[in-house]
Amino acid sequence: DYKAKDSGAEVPVMIDSILFRQVFVNIIRNGVEANLERIVGFSIQLCLDEESDAIKIKITNDGKPIPKDLAPRIFDPYISNKNGKDNMGLGLSIVKKIIIEHGGEIFHIEENSHPTFVILLRREVQ
């Protein structure tokens, strides 16, 4: 049980903290690895918004956009825009699986030409 803070109010959601650490690590790692040429000065923003029946977590980086031909498939297994033997293209598919197992949803949008991942999780009833 994790209680997120938003403007001083508690927003209860039920999550597995170990699995959600993996969610954040995978999303952030993907952003960093996709923008290795500008690792200095690269920034990531995490925002938490409360909605009537859900909380919304937005993770945005100021790196280059995800290619339009790749964007619809980024949550599919073995899909990647990076080369290398250590890159199996599983990071975002694992993220999606964890979010779905928590009864939530995740999607990708571009905000001001920057990649943004939006996670929606059901609020717990008090």
Side-chain angles (χ1 to χ4, degrees), residues 10 23 25 37 39 43 51 71 89 93 113-114:
E10 289 188 353
V23 165
V25 165
E37 69 280 354
I39 200 67
S43 68
E51 298 188 349
S93 65
S113 299
H114 298 302

Side-chain angles (χ1 to χ4, degrees), residues 59-87:
I59 305 166
T60 304
N61 70 59
D62 66 351
K64 58 189 169 197
I66 294 172
K68 290 193 186 311
D69 62 326
L70 185 64
R73 301 176 298 134
I74 60 172
F75 296 108
D76 293 348
Y78 311 110
I79 298 296
S80 178
N81 195 30
K82 302 177 294 265
N83 296 323
K85 65 178 182 164
D86 294 331
N87 181 29

Side-chain angles (χ1 to χ4, degrees), residues 30-58:
N30 274 326
V32 169
E33 289 176 354
N35 293 281
L36 287 175
E37 69 280 354
R38 60 172 291 243
I39 200 67
V40 174
F42 179 76
S43 68
I44 297 168
Q45 181 181 26
L46 191 114
C47 296
L48 174 69
D49 291 319
E50 183 176 355
E51 298 188 349
S52 61
D53 60 347
I55 65 160
K56 178 168 55 173
I57 303 166
K58 285 179 29 176

